[in-house]
Amino acid sequence: MEALPTTIMAGKPVPLTAALCLLYLTPAKKLMPIAIQLGQIPSKDKPIFLPSDSEVDWLLAKLYVRHVDTLHGEFVSHLHNTHLTAEVFAMATLRNLPKIHPLYKLLIPHHRGTLYVNTMARATLYGPGRNLDNTSLSADGQVVLMRRALAQLTYDSLCPHEEIAARGLESVPNFYYRDDAFRLWNVINRYLIVLKGTSNYYHPIQHLHKRTYFYFCILWCGMLVSELIFEIFR
């Protein structure tokens, strides 16, 4: 969130800070904020706020944290990671995999509304003069934030178990996103294991078909990588 272009109001840029928040796990298994710093680097003009400070100061500090968390949730977790990244997979699938390919059959039901929803979002939500232009992040700031997120995107970050482990959140109680994601991931994994065991697409006898379908997979993966790199440096 550091140094992102923000919206201009009354001739001044709206303040935005990459806040740091220290959370404490209470005996009741709840996470409570116990310290907040409004910036990544300590300095005299970036003090650490505590619950023992005045009620107004502590409330404002928590508002700043909630503010940047909401922006990150909307533009990174939701718009970028959910919608725009899915579009790259959808386009790679439609352009490179034949309809009889098992990977196409697996993915296409999940891409049925991807292009329509994203087209509507581009027309109405983000960009200069559109709905999300009313946030504290300017249109340019939104693009910069999502490009930063894309530059940090890895295969492991798309896999719930690896992503949760990388953030050290395996044992945090009442983390419903993690619990639900693991259940869904395990269901999909069991389905793929069964599909692999019963599919004839990659039967050892069918060498020509095997090579053909593998070639399509290479094209699919190549487009994914090239499109993601293009978005980073565009």
Side-chain angles (χ1 to χ4, degrees):
M1 288 292 180
E2 290 283 5
L4 290 175
T6 60
T7 301
I8 304 298
M9 295 185 66
K12 297 180 180 180
V14 173
L16 183 67
T17 178
L20 293 173
C21 181
L22 178 62
L23 300 172
Y24 168 68
L25 183 61
T26 69
K29 305 300 182 182
K30 293 183 178 181
L31 290 173
M32 299 293 291
I34 59 173
I36 293 172
Q37 179 178 289
L38 301 182
Q40 298 286 311
I41 302 175
S43 64
K44 291 183 179 180
D45 60 343
K46 295 179 182 177
I48 296 176
F49 293 92
L50 305 170
S52 56
D53 291 333
S54 72
E55 181 179 356
V56 172
D57 286 348
W58 181 238
L59 177 60
L60 285 173
K62 290 190 291 183
L63 284 174
Y64 268 101
V65 172
R66 178 60 64 87
H67 179 208
V68 294
D69 182 62
T70 300
L71 290 174
H72 186 277
E74 176 59 37
F75 291 105
V76 177
S77 302
H78 182 192
L79 179 55
H80 178 270
N81 292 352
T82 304
H83 288 279
L84 302 184
T85 302
E87 182 174 329
V88 176
F89 283 85
M91 293 304 299
T93 300
L94 292 169
R95 288 179 176 176
N96 295 287
L97 297 179
K99 292 183 178 180
I100 59 173
H101 196 286
L103 190 56
Y104 180 97
K105 292 180 178 294
L106 176 69
L107 294 177
I108 200 61
H110 304 282
H111 296 321
R112 192 164 294 158
T114 299
L115 299 181
Y116 168 76
V117 171
N118 288 1
T119 299
M120 291 295 294
R122 289 188 180 93
T124 60
L125 292 180
Y126 63 95
R130 293 170 184 157
N131 292 348
L132 292 181
D133 199 27
N134 294 322
T135 68
S136 54
L137 271 181
S138 66
D140 290 338
Q142 297 167 19
V143 172
V144 172
L145 177 59
M146 288 189 284
R147 282 183 178 172
R148 290 180 183 178
L150 181 58
Q152 297 174 1
L153 187 71
T154 64
Y155 176 77
D156 282 348
S157 69
L158 298 175
C159 302
H161 290 81
E162 287 81 356
E163 195 267 341
I164 294 296
R167 291 195 284 155
L169 300 175
E170 305 100 310
S171 59
V172 174
N174 303 318
F175 190 6
Y176 305 117
Y177 165 80
R178 174 202 59 208
D179 300 340
D180 291 344
F182 284 3
R183 291 190 188 99
L184 289 172
W185 183 267
N186 292 335
V187 169
I188 295 172
N189 186 58
R190 290 198 301 270
Y191 171 74
L192 289 175
I193 291 174
V194 173
L195 183 66
K196 181 180 178 181
T198 59
S199 174
N200 292 321
Y201 284 101
Y202 294 98
H203 194 280
I205 298 176
Q206 299 171 335
H207 295 296
L208 179 59
H209 288 178
K210 182 177 180 180
R211 292 174 183 173
T212 301
Y213 286 121
F214 181 72
Y215 172 72
F216 284 125
C217 284
I218 294 297
L219 290 177
W220 182 78
C221 293
M223 182 175 178
L224 287 178
V225 174
S226 63
E227 287 294 321
L228 290 172
I229 292 176
F230 172 76
E231 288 297 327
I232 293 175
F233 295 103
R234 185 173 63 175

